[in-house]
Every structure is written in C-alpha cells, then in structure tokens.
Amino acid sequence: MAERIVSKFGMRSTAAEVIEGIDLHGKTAIVTGATSGLGIETARALVGAGAEVFIPARNPEKAAGVVAELREKTGGDVQTMTLDLSDFASIRRFTDEFLALGKPVHILINNAAIMACPLARTPEGFESQFATNHLGHFLFTGRLAPALIAGKARVVSLSSIGHRLSPVHFDDIHFETRKYDKWQAYGQAKTANALFAVGLNARLAPHGGTANAVHPGGIMTGLQQHLTTEEMTAMGWIDTEGKLNPLFKTVEQGAATSVWAAVAPELEGHGGLYLEDCNQAEPAIPEKPYSGVHAHASDPEAAERLWVESETMVGETFSFT
C-alpha cells in the first residue's frame, strides 16, 4: 500500500494559507458553483495566486457581480460564461464555446452541488441530485477532455462524508422502483462524485493529469437551503438556540482542501484519492463515523461501471487520447 499523503495543513487551515507562495500565473482554472459559498472562496484563492479563472454560472447577473468583486479585490483575471449543470444542452453549449477559445485547462474544480432536495427529475427523467451533482459534471468534464489533456490538468471532484449514506445503486439509480429518500439520493450522488475521480484519474494519468475527490467538511452554506431548522437541530448541526456546531468550518476553511488538491506540490502525480482536511483520508472506521473514505466510494470496478453507465445516460462517449 502506498504511503498516505499528508501535509502541514489541517482542519482549520484556510484556502489563503494553503495557496500562500504558489504562483499560478499562466494557468487557466474553471470552478463550478463559484457564485457563492465554497466556490467563490476557491475561485478567490486561485485568482489571487495569478490564475485566469472561469466561473460558469446559471445566473449571469449574479455571476457578473461576483466577477466584478473578485477583479476589484484581487486585480486578477476572472471570466464568466453561462452554464446550467442540470441542462445537458447548456453544458454542450458551454463546452463548445470554451473549447473554441483554444485554452488548456490546468485546474478544474467541480464544486457545484445540491443537497437533500425533494424528488425532482430532469427532462431526461433522471433524479435531480444524481443528475446535477454527478451527471452534469461528468458530461461537462468529459467534453472538456482535450483542454484537460493539453493542460495536464488537476481535476477536483467535490464529494462529501455524505457518501457514507449510500453506495451507487446500479439497479435503480434514479429511484424508479424504490421509495425516494433525499439523504440516500444525496449519499449516492456523493459516492458517484468520488468514484468519478477514480475513473477520471485512470484516463488522465497517462497524459500527466490527475483527478481527486474532496470532502470539504461541514460548512453552513446555501447547500442547506432545503433543510428546516428542526432538521438541522435534530442532526446536531445547530443547537436549539441556532448556534452552529463548533466542529463546522468557516467557508474559508471549507475551501482549503479543494485548493490544496489543486495546487499542492506533494500531490503532483497522485490521483484517484479521497482527500479531507488537507490530507489523504484514511479508510473509514465505525469509531469515526464523520471522517474517512468508505470502500464503496473508492472501488475501481464500481468506478468503471459508473463511467460506462454515465456515458449511456448522457448519450456520449469520451476519448482521453
């Protein structure tokens, strides 16, 4: 077994601390979900280090405000283009337009997500959490393959400790026969995000690129929009007075592991991993239910099956040659 990769950073490190001293001038990065929460802090760190950062966004007006703020505060190069990860046509338009620019992609951070929402289906009939969190990023990333290969990219796939809630149920991914459970659906989607990194890394590695999955930690962001105060209190995220659990991170701390995955020298050439608290995660054990990676989220066979079935769902196959 390869030696576990660790860093001098940890749970309370911030994105700014992780990227200090890193020069990204001449590099191009894309960060999805970067108009709020973890995404904007991730983009802020990359722009501040000199990268040209593209922020795909569903809401052009909101994205324009974020771009203006980042440009003003960092003096950096930030762009936005329209993208709706729940809409395959939108993804295809974005990727066609981006590839036409002829730019290599050195860093891709698939950060956008939805969580524990009521049952909804895309026009294709796919369950919305799996479709948005996994399939949207799968199609997006696969179509960007030429730019990722050209940039020997580091791809970061945002997973979650929520992956512990469910493996991918290949016999009924979209809850067509089993009863819908919003947390099972979220867990399955987060497992898919981790498995995607395993499958993608196998395809990028021959070209000098890598892909890793990241658990950012517990952070209070817009991701909780579908949860009631009662639900969050019952889960221990907040107390009865609304005070946040002290084990939660700030947004700046939550963005740190994504940034570490994108720039850390010690991760050069190392992919297919699941990272948390700016370190490679250890295998999950019952004594530590809120950390570690479960075997079902790092299984190469499951990763390949997910890749093949995902290509069928999106109606495209992707060549990494």
Side-chain angles (χ1 to χ4, degrees):
M1 183 177 177
E3 185 175 352
R4 177 171 167 254
I5 299 171
V6 297
S7 76
K8 63 181 180 181
F9 304 108
M11 177 182 178
R12 296 300 178 192
S13 299
T14 66
E17 291 167 346
V18 165
I19 208 165
E20 185 176 2
I22 300 290
D23 183 2
L24 296 179
H25 286 90
K27 305 291 187 181
T28 300
I30 301 175
V31 184
T32 69
T35 58
S36 63
L38 297 183
I40 191 171
E41 292 305 322
T42 301
R44 189 188 314 279
L46 298 176
V47 174
E52 178 185 19
V53 177
F54 284 81
I55 296 177
R58 185 174 51 192
N59 185 326
E61 293 76 19
K62 187 175 183 180
V66 170
V67 167
E69 179 204 341
L70 291 179
R71 285 175 178 170
E72 179 183 353
K73 293 186 175 179
T74 67
D77 190 354
V78 195
Q79 317 288 335
T80 185
M81 295 168 63
T82 302
L83 172 69
D84 182 347
L85 282 166
S86 67
D87 181 345
F88 288 174
S90 174
I91 294 168
R92 292 183 171 105
R93 281 193 299 272
F94 178 100
T95 50
D96 285 346
E97 290 172 10
F98 185 88
L99 291 174
L101 299 176
K103 290 179 176 288
V105 173
H106 304 93
I107 296 169
L108 170 59
I109 301 185
N110 288 329
N111 169 84
I114 57 175
M115 181 177 75
C117 54
L119 176 61
R121 298 192 183 278
T122 66
E124 295 81 13
F126 301 140
E127 187 275 316
S128 63
Q129 294 192 73
F130 188 86
T132 301
N133 297 351
H134 169 63
L135 287 178
H137 281 123
F138 178 83
L139 178 60
F140 181 69
T141 305
R143 288 179 62 86
L144 289 175
L148 298 175
I149 291 170
K152 298 182 178 180
R154 285 196 188 191
V155 180
V156 182
S157 179
L158 269 286
S159 183
S160 164
I161 188 57
H163 80 270
R164 73 190 180 98
L165 299 173
S166 177
V168 175
H169 287 269
F170 288 105
D171 58 339
D172 186 23
I173 287 175
H174 298 292
F175 293 87
E176 292 169 317
T177 59
R178 56 187 171 131
K179 183 180 178 181
Y180 179 73
D181 180 284
K182 65 184 182 181
W183 287 112
Q184 288 284 308
Y186 180 68
Q188 175 179 249
K190 292 292 103 179
T191 292
N193 291 150
L195 291 175
F196 176 47
V198 175
L200 180 61
N201 186 71
R203 290 159 173 81
L204 285 178
H207 307 286
T210 59
N212 286 303
V214 160
H215 166 43
I219 310 102
M220 196 61 71
T221 67
L223 197 61
Q224 288 86 0
Q225 64 180 304
H226 295 291
L227 301 181
T228 66
T229 300
E230 290 75 20
E231 284 179 293
M232 291 189 283
T233 302
M235 291 186 292
W237 294 4
I238 56 176
D239 64 20
T240 53
E241 297 178 352
K243 186 177 180 181
L244 192 64
N245 186 317
L247 293 178
F248 270 54
K249 299 181 179 183
T250 65
V251 177
E252 294 82 3
Q253 292 166 345
T257 305
S258 292
V259 174
W260 181 70
V263 304
E266 58 264 40
L267 283 173
E268 185 65 38
H270 296 282
L273 309 175
Y274 178 96
L275 313 173
E276 63 183 5
D277 295 339
C278 301
N279 290 281
Q280 182 181 351
E282 296 185 272
I285 56 175
E287 293 78 12
K288 296 181 179 179
Y290 298 107
S291 64
V293 57
H294 289 255
H296 66 247
S298 56
D299 177 8
E301 290 186 8
E304 284 308 303
R305 183 176 181 183
L306 177 65
W307 190 283
V308 172
E309 297 210 12
S310 297
E311 286 187 327
T312 299
M313 290 178 211
V314 302
E316 290 189 42
T317 57
F318 303 111
S319 175
F320 287 78
T321 56

